[in-house]
Amino acid sequence: MLIEAENLNHTYALGTPLAQVALRDVNLQIGPGERVGILGASGSGKTTLVQHLAGLLQPTEGRVLLDGIVAHRRTPAALAQRRRIGIAFQNPEDQIFEQTVFREVAFGPRNLGLSQAEVATRVAWALELVGLNPTLMGGRIPFALSGGEMRRVALAGILAMRPHVLILDEPTAGLDPRGRQELLRRVKRWHQEMGLTLIVVSHNLDELARLVERVVLLKAGRVVADGPARRVLSDAALLRSAGLDVPHSVALLHALRAAGWPVRTDQLLPEEAAAEILRVRRAMEEIR
Amino acid sequence: MNLLLPGMYMAADSPLHRLDPRVKMGASLLLMALPFAAQSPLSQVLLVGLVIAVARLSRAPLLALLRTLRTVFWIGFFMFFFFLFTTPGEVLVNIQGITLTWQGLLAGATQIYRLCLLVIITALLTFTTSSIQLAHGLESVLGPLKRLRLPVAELVMVLTIALRFVPTVFDEIEKLVKAQRARGADFRSGNPWRRMRGWIAVFVPLFVSAFRRAEELAIAMEARGFRGAQHRTRLYQLSLTRADWLAILIVLAVSLIALLVEQRGSLL
């Protein structure tokens, strides 16, 4: 699916003294199968932007097109497009309401009007995807699960609708380090196996470095950078001007460079940085 | 939040914001009662004029203020037709035994007018008075009841907390509606059964989070030494300024004139 934001503007509480501009003149194109990170400090408009991309908000100005169809309209065509987009809000476990895990995950597929048998297949499939055993977990009460498990149930509820585009708003917020690692691994696998378009909102640079290939940087509702993750995430001046810091690996490489080592600073992952340091050390030894 | 509702506070600085909450509450009550006591057109013109002047002073945008009337649309709708059909008098239309009277039309319109005034005045009060100020004013006004061993301070605290969470709850509903809409829930069209399922998916999580929030708040209050209200003192003491006295004077004068006009009108 091709997602296009054209001249998108959004103001909350328009026409009241509480009015607050959240997005200004955002232009964006996201093609099928892309992995895009939406990055920005708190209050920079990340969440508003992705809710627009999912067609859940009405723009104050401009529009969002999903394969050429205006996203927020109430037409059947727009509805059909929106249904191809799955969005997990921040803390998606807050939207759990059913009495059993099975029924919770089945809510989406049932709303699609699928048959009982198809719903059951999809629920089992989605629970497997998030690493929960359908036979063991299906009958459990979701509110009695751990926070991490509830999050996975909520994500299964979205995956069960078989979206073409998956939008995750701060997917790892509040998880422990192991839960984070595991979720990131799974998200990457979903992208590979299902050919999903992935849009991830985060202000965790190390996570984005692992997950996405392209980064859109927001500052006060404006897009201030849009490009390959390697370029945006290693540009310390740019990131700091947007109220963020650089990934740990990049910070280390910058420090080494300042100390006189001729390392490249665009290695985002710890293993990449290690390889770069080794390469430079070997080169320096050869010269000596 | 795209809507200002009556009951929400609109943080801003205006002469009306700076008035003493007790004055504003008293004036609101008086002005709300006035259309019932004084019914002549001239007193209504005076009253509406005063409300418009106050609205201008409050710096509340006119549109937002008028939009608050949407909350009572259905009540107003039913009230109008109730009075329209049940008031006896000079027959205006007669359709198969159902009669509409001129008096009924007038009575219905009057009810709507009063309802709108009530809503606008309430909205003006809460737009310009924070819940803490409201509570403080209320506690001070109800103070004498403490002698009767009524837990005034505690009740006011409950009220403050309730008011404090009105916008939070609305934000939460909005977020949940969006989240469940993304999962294919239908709130606007579709059959009633499906719509109801959609609302269940909103209200269950809403209550879950409300209870969690209540528990957290209770713990947070206890952790900061809250032991009921008996030992509580206030950082800001209420005291009437010159502007407050002026406001009292204006409101009393308008009310008095409206009532006098009424008397004269009935004498004539």
Side-chain angles (χ1 to χ4, degrees), chain B residues 37-258:
Chain B
Q39 296 177 341
S40 74
L42 191 57
S43 11
Q44 301 314 311
V45 170
L46 259 174
L47 177 61
V48 170
L50 180 65
V51 169
I52 290 174
V54 170
R56 293 291 306 235
L57 266 184
S58 75
R59 306 239 167 94
L62 199 63
L63 201 67
L65 207 54
L66 290 178
R67 268 196 207 137
T68 60
L69 294 176
R70 286 205 301 214
T71 48
V72 292
F73 178 79
W74 287 109
I75 300 178
F77 188 80
F78 285 118
M79 262 170 59
F80 179 75
F81 281 100
F82 179 77
F83 279 92
L84 185 60
F85 288 117
T86 56
T87 315
E90 190 184 330
V91 175
L92 203 64
V93 192
N94 189 341
I95 313 163
Q96 294 174 350
I98 302 170
T99 55
L100 302 187
T101 63
W102 177 242
Q103 278 80 357
L105 198 66
L106 207 65
T110 311
Q111 293 310 318
I112 289 192
Y113 161 75
R114 285 175 182 167
L115 187 67
C116 289
L117 264 184
L118 289 185
V119 173
I120 295 276
I121 293 171
T122 315
L124 279 172
L125 174 66
T126 59
F127 278 9
T128 60
T129 319
S130 72
S131 55
I132 292 175
Q133 281 180 309
L134 273 180
H136 194 175
L138 204 62
E139 198 180 331
S140 149
V141 170
L142 297 180
L145 292 179
K146 279 183 195 162
R147 299 241 174 84
L148 303 174
R149 298 236 178 139
L150 279 175
V152 171
E154 279 80 1
L155 288 175
V156 167
M157 175 61 84
V158 169
L159 191 76
T160 316
I161 293 172
L163 281 175
R164 154 67 185 79
F165 281 102
V166 168
T168 313
V169 166
F170 274 102
D171 280 348
E172 185 111 353
I173 290 177
E174 203 176 286
K175 186 187 130 195
L176 283 165
V177 164
K178 273 188 289 191
Q180 305 298 19
R181 211 146 65 81
R183 293 169 76 193
D186 204 336
F187 298 97
R188 295 191 284 211
S189 48
N191 66 48
W193 171 242
R194 273 199 61 184
R195 263 195 270 182
M196 204 184 76
R197 265 181 65 78
W199 285 113
I200 290 173
V202 168
F203 281 105
V204 172
L206 188 73
F207 276 98
V208 170
S209 77
F211 280 114
R212 192 176 51 215
R213 206 173 278 132
E215 206 174 306
E216 284 170 4
L217 184 67
I219 293 171
M221 284 169 74
E222 275 185 357
R224 281 181 274 172
F226 183 81
R227 290 173 295 155
Q230 68 268 41
H231 302 292
R232 211 152 158 247
T233 55
R234 295 270 182 183
L235 178 58
Y236 299 103
Q237 297 296 328
L238 292 177
S239 62
L240 296 178
T241 64
R242 200 174 298 171
D244 291 317
W245 288 112
L246 188 66
I248 294 175
L249 212 66
I250 293 174
V251 170
L252 282 181
V254 169
S255 310
L256 216 62
I257 294 171

Side-chain angles (χ1 to χ4, degrees), chain A residues 10-18 51 55-57 72-74 82-83 85-87 89-91 94-98 103-112 143 154 157-158 161, chain B residues 1-4 8-12 59-61 63-64 67 172 174-186 188-189 194 197-198 200-206 208-209 212:
Chain A
H10 192 91
T11 307
Y12 285 106
L14 186 72
T16 76
L18 309 175
Q51 289 184 359
L56 293 173
L57 293 173
H72 72 268
R73 295 247 172 94
R74 285 175 72 176
R82 284 203 296 272
R83 284 191 166 166
I85 299 184
I87 178 167
F89 282 43
Q90 209 169 346
N91 300 323
D94 289 349
Q95 52 179 270
I96 287 176
F97 69 101
E98 273 288 10
R103 292 172 56 131
E104 178 65 35
V105 178
F107 181 68
R110 277 192 184 140
N111 284 332
L112 292 180
F143 293 105
I158 291 151
M161 299 182 76
Chain B
M1 200 65 236
N2 284 313
L3 190 71
L4 270 172
M8 279 171 66
Y9 176 59
M10 187 187 76
R59 306 239 167 94
L63 201 67
R67 268 196 207 137
E172 185 111 353
E174 203 176 286
K175 186 187 130 195
L176 283 165
V177 164
K178 273 188 289 191
Q180 305 298 19
R181 211 146 65 81
R183 293 169 76 193
D186 204 336
R188 295 191 284 211
S189 48
R194 273 199 61 184
R197 265 181 65 78
I200 290 173
V202 168
F203 281 105
V204 172
L206 188 73
V208 170
S209 77
R212 192 176 51 215

Side-chain angles (χ1 to χ4, degrees), chain A residues 184 204-211 246-249 268-270:
Chain A
L184 289 181
N204 186 324
L205 297 128
D206 291 298
E207 268 175 32
L208 276 188
R210 233 170 240 296
L211 212 51
V246 293
H248 288 115
S249 310
L268 305 180
L269 304 177

